[in-house]
Amino acid sequence: GKDYANAVESFAKGYEANPKDSKIALNLAKSYSELGDTTNGFKTYREIIALGDGHSQYAEDAAAAKNDLAYYMSLEASKAAEAKDFNGAYAIIESLLKSDPANAVMHMLLIQTATNQKNWDKIIAGGEAAAAAQTAADLKSDVYFYLGAAYQNKENKPKAIEAYRKVTSGRN
């Protein structure tokens, strides 16, 4: 693999010298994240996103930073969920959804994590937003399937039927 430790050292110097160089910042954030230093990686991604919010010339790199941040945060949330640290997983997911409320991947991860945990209330609370965030019909249908199952498990048959009726494609 790549030598991310040397990369961090090199990119950190460049970024320190020019904190508005979003290309160097993206490389630095990715290097930190690949090393597992998500604290510094996520902080650097957020700095790039903030640059993009202030100046349109950084918009492209800010968009790349948003995608990368979502990717690495979803990995962290998945690791937490696999370790049965559901509160940790939800905290990561919800923190990303606060800054990127239409993130389809994180919405789906929230629903899948809650489904694996059989946390029906969490699915019911987040189901409609998760479905709305999905752009592919089969993924939207998957969310409604999980939502239907959650209502069914909560003994709310009318709501379960309403959700199941919205499952129009995919494997469910």
Side-chain angles (χ1 to χ4, degrees):
K2 295 179 185 161
D3 190 354
Y4 289 109
N6 285 339
V8 162
E9 204 176 307
S10 165
F11 291 131
K13 285 178 188 154
Y15 185 51
E16 199 178 324
N18 185 358
K20 288 198 188 304
D21 188 330
S22 53
K23 298 277 184 249
I24 287 178
L26 274 173
N27 286 316
L28 177 60
K30 185 176 191 65
S31 299
Y32 276 135
S33 298
E34 285 292 326
L35 279 174
D37 182 353
T38 53
T39 303
N40 282 310
F42 295 176
K43 178 179 167 282
T44 308
Y45 280 128
R46 288 195 173 98
E47 289 166 358
I48 301 163
I49 294 165
L51 270 180
D53 290 343
H55 307 278
S56 61
Q57 76 196 66
Y58 302 110
E60 199 178 309
D61 288 338
K66 259 187 188 174
N67 284 338
D68 285 0
L69 180 60
Y71 169 76
Y72 287 112
M73 287 183 85
S74 68
L75 287 182
E76 288 300 297
S78 296
K79 279 185 215 160
E82 280 166 30
K84 304 280 185 241
D85 173 14
F86 294 109
N87 290 338
Y90 292 131
I92 294 166
I93 294 166
E94 287 161 4
S95 100
L96 189 98
L97 286 174
K98 230 177 248 141
S99 62
D100 188 1
N103 190 296
V105 173
M106 282 303 204
H107 275 291
M108 185 58 87
L109 190 58
L110 177 79
I111 298 302
Q112 289 168 335
T113 302
T115 299
N116 293 340
Q117 193 194 6
K118 294 181 175 27
N119 186 335
W120 312 126
D121 293 329
K122 191 74 117 173
I123 297 166
I124 290 167
E128 287 299 333
Q134 304 308 313
T135 51
D138 56 333
L139 294 176
K140 195 180 282 283
S141 286
D142 285 350
V143 173
Y144 281 121
F145 179 79
Y146 296 133
L147 187 56
Y151 278 123
Q152 199 173 347
N153 279 288
K154 295 291 284 185
E155 307 286 326
N156 187 336
K157 286 197 175 68
K159 282 285 196 185
I161 292 166
E162 184 186 320
Y164 283 137
R165 282 202 176 119
K166 294 177 184 173
V167 180
T168 53
S169 67
R171 60 187 190 280
N172 295 307

